[in-house]
Amino acid sequence: MNKKIIIIPIVVIIGIFVGISFVDSPSEKDDVIFHATLADPELYVNGVYSESFMIDAGDYYFRFVPNGSSPEILSISIIGNNFEFNENFELQNELQQTGISEYYTWSYDGVEFFSVAESSQVKITINPNGNEMGSVTVDILEN
């Protein structure tokens, strides 16, 4: 009887993790065209992170993985031939309450979608506005 009491919760926990991995995994439609995990002050030059990459014509969106230490304002600009995008993303927290615990989830508020009319080389600049110690992951995905 004691073995059943131990095995059943283990099976339930494994099932939950497997289910979450299927829900959180990106679909085949999601194509990451830019990825940066900013968690080290050495990644910044004069307080900003920048990188160049090719982008095709199409519709895109940002995906962030922030946490409580992420920059409160994350300023992002993307500049290319005949294309410019600028946005100040603001870190938002939301209290989650369950029957046995309370915790916060984090997200960035701002314009997350943009369109590019023609393929070109672009330069992305990410400014954490002085918070180079806070970690955040920034992805751009094709919509």
Side-chain angles (χ1 to χ4, degrees):
M1 182 75 153
N2 288 337
K3 288 182 182 180
K4 286 182 181 178
I5 293 173
I6 293 172
I7 292 174
I8 291 173
I10 291 172
V11 170
V12 169
I13 290 170
I14 291 171
I16 290 171
F17 283 114
V18 169
I20 289 172
S21 69
F22 283 118
V23 171
D24 287 344
S25 64
S27 70
E28 291 178 24
K29 186 178 178 187
D30 290 342
D31 290 323
V32 176
I33 63 151
F34 171 82
H35 171 84
T37 298
L38 304 174
D40 183 353
E42 292 182 19
L43 295 172
Y44 298 95
V45 176
N46 295 324
V48 298
Y49 173 86
S50 61
E51 184 177 329
S52 294
F53 62 95
M54 282 298 295
I55 193 167
D56 292 328
D59 298 323
Y60 297 91
Y61 66 97
F62 287 95
R63 178 174 61 193
F64 299 100
V65 181
N67 60 58
S69 70
S70 295
E72 290 183 31
I73 302 290
L74 194 63
S75 301
I76 298 180
S77 68
I78 305 172
I79 299 173
N81 293 339
N82 302 315
F83 176 77
E84 187 170 335
F85 173 89
N86 293 292
E87 183 66 28
N88 292 318
F89 292 95
E90 206 172 315
L91 187 64
Q92 305 290 317
N93 65 38
E94 186 176 332
L95 177 62
Q96 306 293 320
Q97 296 178 320
T98 68
I100 57 172
S101 67
E102 293 183 351
Y103 60 94
Y104 286 94
T105 57
W106 303 91
S107 63
Y108 275 106
D109 187 32
V111 176
E112 295 180 353
F113 295 92
F114 63 94
S115 295
V116 176
E118 60 186 45
S119 298
S120 69
Q121 182 81 13
V122 295
K123 181 178 181 180
I124 186 169
T125 303
I126 303 173
N127 184 345
N129 295 288
N131 186 357
E132 296 170 22
M133 295 297 292
S135 64
V136 63
T137 297
V138 179
D139 291 326
I140 297 176
L141 297 96
E142 190 171 9
N143 198 9

